[in-house]
Amino acid sequence: PSVTQAIRAVIPGFQAAPWYLDRGRAVHHGCRLLDEGRLDWDSVSQEIEPRIRAWASFMSDSRATVLLIEQPLAHPIYRYAGTLDRLLFHDKVFFVADLKNMIEPQVRLQLGGYSLLAKHHNHKVTRGVAVELRSDASYTTLWLDSHELKRAEQWFLSVLSVYGFLCAHLERKK
């Protein structure tokens, strides 16, 4: 399963409406183009532009360097996959970043899952951040230090275990 699929199966209500999912995909695409230096601001809709500007502000304020963008990864030992929004680096620290339209408690689980994926692929991640990109071009963050990120990884592995249990018992009933 993906990080998101496992969390959705275990945490009820962790599902956005299609309109919000489409908007999120558009924001992610715009932020990717921005990070790659290929964004044509004239092509960005008024609905999406402030959120991309919020990402630009975060990147400027954090002074981080982007190492990976929307990178699909798999973990063959724990048998799950996910698309890492960003792997960033600043001041000798590697951190996973998740772009959000709204920060909810489940983002800790996502950051934990993405951190484990990045670490499995030899990235020395020690922090995590969720960046809420707002419609007024501002942003807010939820930072996880190394101890909080380790706890988030453990929580995600628990979710993954419960997901496996649910799948095994649902398959038996069929």
Side-chain angles (χ1 to χ4, degrees):
S2 72
V3 169
T4 303
Q5 286 171 325
I7 295 170
R8 281 184 188 152
V10 175
I11 309 284
F14 182 63
Q15 174 62 43
W19 185 88
Y20 293 103
L21 293 172
D22 289 342
R23 182 182 70 185
R25 280 189 282 276
V27 169
H28 275 248
H29 182 68
C31 291
R32 177 188 193 118
L33 293 174
L34 177 71
D35 288 344
E36 292 173 345
R38 302 185 304 126
L39 182 65
D40 174 3
W41 284 103
D42 292 334
S43 70
V44 179
S45 76
Q46 290 179 344
E47 172 66 27
I48 303 303
E49 181 180 346
R51 295 173 194 279
I52 297 172
R53 292 202 182 277
W55 177 248
S57 293
F58 169 78
M59 288 303 295
S60 175
D61 294 347
S62 70
R63 297 175 292 148
T65 300
V66 177
L67 301 177
L68 294 176
I69 300 172
E70 303 290 336
Q71 181 67 51
L73 298 171
H75 200 301
I77 296 167
Y78 293 128
R79 300 179 48 90
Y80 76 98
T83 300
L84 185 66
D85 286 358
R86 299 291 186 280
L87 178 65
L88 303 175
F89 179 77
H90 176 68
D91 198 25
K92 300 180 184 176
V93 176
F94 292 89
F95 54 101
V96 291
D98 203 41
L99 287 66
K100 293 297 194 188
N101 283 313
M102 180 171 43
I103 293 177
E104 296 181 299
Q106 297 90 332
V107 75
R108 291 174 183 274
L109 299 171
Q110 288 177 291
L111 289 170
Y114 297 142
S115 174
L116 288 168
L117 285 171
K119 287 177 179 178
H120 179 74
H121 291 274
N122 299 315
H123 300 292
K124 296 175 180 16
V125 173
T126 58
R127 294 193 72 193
V129 63
V131 185
E132 181 179 311
L133 307 174
R134 297 180 170 168
S135 62
D136 64 357
S138 68
Y139 69 88
T140 189
T141 57
L142 170 68
W143 285 94
L144 302 183
D145 65 21
S146 61
H147 298 291
E148 293 167 318
L149 190 59
K150 185 68 176 167
R151 179 176 293 147
E153 292 169 358
Q154 293 167 345
W155 285 337
F156 177 75
L157 290 176
S158 296
V159 164
L160 200 57
S161 293
V162 172
Y163 175 85
F165 174 84
L166 293 172
C167 289
H169 286 280
L170 289 176
E171 286 299 314
R172 287 187 189 159
K173 289 183 177 181
K174 290 183 180 178

